[in-house]
Amino acid sequence: MRYGDAKITNALAEITNEFAEITNESAETTNALAEITNAFAEITNEFAEITNESAEITNESTAGIAMIATI
């Protein structure tokens, strides 16, 4: 292998390593975004439960008011 060929091979190896680092960082970012997405899903589910409980309370209150109104 000539000196020029070795320089090209080394440069290509450096580029490959840089791409590997970028790929790893991208994977870390993707995992972090997945965790954030899951956290938002949990919050959304909590809000859904609160909304459902609020609807139940509203329905019970409405039924109670309707019963009082018939007295």
Side-chain angles (χ1 to χ4, degrees), residues 11-26:
L12 289 173
E14 287 182 31
I15 292 169
T16 300
N17 289 337
E18 286 295 323
F19 274 119
E21 286 182 32
I22 291 168
T23 300
N24 289 338
E25 290 171 4
S26 178

Side-chain angles (χ1 to χ4, degrees), residues 29-42:
T29 301
T30 299
N31 289 338
L33 289 173
E35 288 180 24
I36 292 168
T37 300
N38 289 338
F40 274 117
E42 289 179 25

Side-chain angles (χ1 to χ4, degrees), residues 20-62:
E21 286 182 32
I22 291 168
T23 300
N24 289 338
E25 290 171 4
S26 178
E28 290 174 13
T29 301
T30 299
N31 289 338
L33 289 173
E35 288 180 24
I36 292 168
T37 300
N38 289 338
F40 274 117
E42 289 179 25
I43 292 168
T44 300
N45 289 339
E46 288 294 323
F47 274 119
E49 286 182 30
I50 292 168
T51 300
N52 289 338
E53 290 171 8
S54 178
E56 287 178 22
I57 292 167
T58 300
N59 290 339
E60 290 170 5
S61 296
T62 302

